Amino acid sequence: MKQLIAQVKQAFPLDSADIFRCGPSNTCVGCPKKLLDLVDSEVCYWEAAIARGVIPSLGDISRFGRLSKNVARGLTRNNIQLASPH
């Protein structure tokens, strides 16, 4: 899970203020702001849970990976460039 969180933090523009604003053109396919908020809240949750000693199950890791993959697809549809994880 820690590796997945690190990859998500590297790939997603979670700290970019421009992404978290809605534009006047209203041409979004799904709301990039809400999608990134969802990923950010999951990252924060799992970082806190791991710090408390919670061990994520394989299902938890799989769900978070699937969520991240789906959000990446949504951001790509909105022409938001993601950094490629290494």
Side-chain angles (χ1 to χ4, degrees):
M1 182 62 91
K2 289 181 183 180
Q3 289 175 342
L4 182 57
I5 289 171
Q7 288 175 348
V8 166
K9 283 180 147 184
Q10 182 182 4
F12 287 85
L14 297 174
D15 57 355
S16 175
D18 294 341
I19 300 298
F20 287 93
R21 267 187 261 142
C22 291
S25 60
N26 214 12
T27 60
C28 297
V29 180
C31 181
K33 177 185 181 306
K34 289 180 184 175
L35 292 173
L36 286 172
D37 280 341
L38 179 62
V39 171
D40 190 39
S41 67
E42 283 291 311
V43 166
C44 291
Y45 169 78
W46 280 112
E47 285 178 331
I50 290 169
R52 287 190 322 266
V54 174
I55 299 172
S57 69
L58 185 57
D60 294 329
I61 295 169
S62 177
R63 277 187 291 278
F64 183 54
R66 210 171 30 245
L67 169 76
S68 301
K69 185 177 176 180
N70 289 337
V71 168
R73 259 189 267 147
L75 295 175
T76 301
R77 275 186 239 131
N78 285 298
N79 298 319
I80 295 172
Q81 298 296 322
L82 301 176
S84 60
H86 298 295

